[in-house]
Amino acid sequence: MRTQVGIVGAGPAGLLLAHLLHRAGIDSVVLEARSRPHIEGRIRAGLLEQGSVDTLVEAGLGDRLLREGLAHDGLELRFDGGSYRIDLHGLTGRRVTIYGQQEAVKDMVAARLETGRPLHFEVGDVTLHDIATGHPRITWTADGVAQELRCDIIAGCDGFHGPSREAMPPELLRVYERVYPFAWLGILAEAPPISHELIYARHAEGFALATMRSASLSRLYLQCAPDEDLSLWPDGRIWESLVTRLGAVNEGRVIQKGVTGMRSFVAEPMRHGRLFLAGDAAHIVPPTGAKGMNLAVADVRVLAAALTSFFRDGDTALMDRYSDICLKRVWKVQRFSWWMTSMLHRYRGDDPFEHRVQVAELDYLVHSKAAQMALAEQYVGLPYDI
Ligand code: RFL
Ligand code: PHB
């Protein structure tokens, strides 16, 4: 088998890249380890920056997003018994949109299948070869049968645990990492959201976040231990903690429950030879800033432009700048996500200094237009370089 771009992973990064390349007349093959129902059912991120929405709409992937997405003009911060609104739209002229990642993935899978170009699910043993040469290859198995794909370029869009980053020479890869001493317990519940906007709460017991998927589906998160045992969290205890940290909530049937670890991670560079990493394969942010999926979209915009000028004009200039362009944004977003996380979570238990400093920071934020502007322009999404 031969193609121009071999794409490993059918998450938001791999699927969007395949779509943008197809529109530019570039052929690709997408290889995904999991089944279609699995990737379409995986509940993860939910908040899109305006730039991500615009990117999806311009790519022709926005029909359902524009119909069903929930546009938000502001967010709420709760701490020390008070509640404050940050007017994102008033401050920046931009807004964010709630649209479940799995819904975006469904739209992109449908668009890919419509093109008739290959998207292989449930592939095994994906291995990258010859990435430093002009003729890289990917081998894998389908139903136990060995397969080989020869390509010009490999896009490693296979998330944090995929094989692509591991295929880079270890002596050339620098890794930066911070693992947080807490995690998020997330639930999806059949209950109307308590507010039409997101509520981020700092509480002495720990952080909580109220978000949503629709007018009748709430998504709620609680700070918990990284090794939290879910069996110790029957629904009653979850609702009780949510009420303590957020105030009144609307209860409903819990239809999904899970614990997500929190880390900041960057691998540099994001390219070696003919292998380009995009999305979670290259970086992870803690979810407090809602940036994971948005960073994947930002990487792919640059990669699609770079590969288009390579295949159309033989021009490698943008490919050569790919890693630098992406990492500039990645580090700003890392800083923002780390800052939001630091301001809102309980780190050391009963450390009164930490408590006072966090409350002082939040109090400064809600009373300073300059500080609110700094939050707002990063939350709605920094402008793209490309
Ligand atoms: P993805 O979505 O992880 O997609 C990678 C794809 O690669 C496949 N894969 C392989 N395919 C072939 N061969 C192999 N050997 C493979 N190994 C892996 C995987 O099955 C998968 O389909 O990465 P991508 O495209 O870069 O997209 C990034 C986003 O998914 C991610 O940043 C966000 O979802 C992060 N994230 C969250 N972000 C938020 O902003 N808010 C959230 O609430 C939020 N919750 C989450 C999350 C990430 C989670 N993960 C990764 C554990 C909750 C979870 C559980
Ligand atoms: C979500 O809707 O799942 C969500 C929203 C904002 C965040 C994290 C998760 O910061």
Side-chain angles (χ1 to χ4, degrees), residues 11 25 27 29 98 105 139 146 170 197 209 224 239 244 249 279 282 286 298 317 334 339-340 342 367:
D27 190 48
V29 172
I98 286 285
V105 164
T139 54
E197 293 179 346
L209 168 62
C224 65
W239 291 117
T244 304
V249 292
Q334 284 290 353
W339 171 69
M340 287 283 281
S342 312
H367 291 102

Side-chain angles (χ1 to χ4, degrees), residues 3-81:
T3 188
Q4 288 172 296
V5 184
I7 300 178
V8 187
L15 290 166
L16 179 60
L17 179 65
H19 189 75
L20 294 177
L21 292 178
H22 180 75
R23 285 167 68 91
I26 298 164
D27 190 48
S28 66
V29 172
V30 185
L31 301 172
E32 167 59 47
R34 313 303 296 255
S35 68
R36 182 177 178 189
H38 180 90
I39 66 162
E40 292 187 345
R42 213 161 34 187
I43 295 172
R44 287 188 173 174
L47 189 126
L48 294 173
E49 295 174 354
Q50 180 155 342
S52 299
V53 171
D54 294 346
T55 303
L56 293 169
V57 170
E58 281 159 24
L61 295 165
D63 290 357
R64 201 159 64 91
L65 164 60
L66 291 176
R67 251 192 346 263
E68 296 176 17
L70 305 170
H72 286 206
D73 287 346
L75 62 79
E76 202 174 310
L77 292 171
R78 287 194 184 166
F79 61 96
D80 238 13

Side-chain angles (χ1 to χ4, degrees), residues 9 11-13 32-34 42 44-45 101 126 157-159 163 221 279-280 290 292:
E32 167 59 47
R34 313 303 296 255
R42 213 161 34 187
R44 287 188 173 174
Q101 177 170 323
V126 168
C157 303
D158 43 2
Y221 298 99
D280 278 16

Side-chain angles (χ1 to χ4, degrees), residues 182-241:
F182 41 76
W184 281 11
L185 194 170
I187 61 165
L188 190 66
E190 285 172 343
I194 28 175
S195 158
H196 65 284
E197 293 179 346
L198 271 61
I199 304 172
Y200 290 81
R202 183 217 170 270
H203 188 273
E205 265 192 18
F207 171 75
L209 168 62
T211 166
M212 67 204 69
R213 287 296 176 268
S214 71
S216 55
L217 268 186
S218 292
R219 177 92 170 129
L220 297 145
Y221 298 99
L222 284 170
Q223 176 181 350
C224 65
D227 55 353
E228 196 72 56
D229 179 356
L230 267 182
S231 69
L232 300 176
W233 286 86
D235 297 355
R237 182 176 172 206
I238 294 178
W239 291 117
E240 213 171 281
S241 282

Side-chain angles (χ1 to χ4, degrees), residues 42 117 123 144 161 165 188 244 267 269 277 299-300 335 340:
R42 213 161 34 187
R117 303 306 304 146
V123 303
H161 300 287
R165 189 177 65 253
L188 190 66
T244 304
L277 302 179
D299 288 349
V300 165
R335 196 208 64 82
M340 287 283 281

Side-chain angles (χ1 to χ4, degrees), residues 160 165 173-178 263-270 280-285 295 326-327 330-331 334-335:
F160 185 63
R165 189 177 65 253
L173 203 65
R174 280 202 73 173
V175 163
Y176 303 82
E177 187 168 30
R178 174 155 307 189
R263 75 172 76 225
S264 301
F265 175 94
V266 182
E268 293 183 359
M270 288 170 60
D280 278 16
H283 40 70
I284 297 287
V285 285
L295 262 190
C326 290
L327 285 168
V330 165
W331 277 110
Q334 284 290 353
R335 196 208 64 82

Side-chain angles (χ1 to χ4, degrees), residues 46-51 53 69-75 88-89 92 94-99 198 289-291 294 376 378-381:
L47 189 126
L48 294 173
E49 295 174 354
Q50 180 155 342
V53 171
L70 305 170
H72 286 206
D73 287 346
L75 62 79
L88 300 169
H89 188 259
T92 65
R94 297 168 76 76
R95 39 174 68 98
V96 292
T97 297
I98 286 285
Y99 190 63
L198 271 61
K291 294 296 179 204
N294 294 297
Q378 296 179 85
Y379 193 84
V380 300

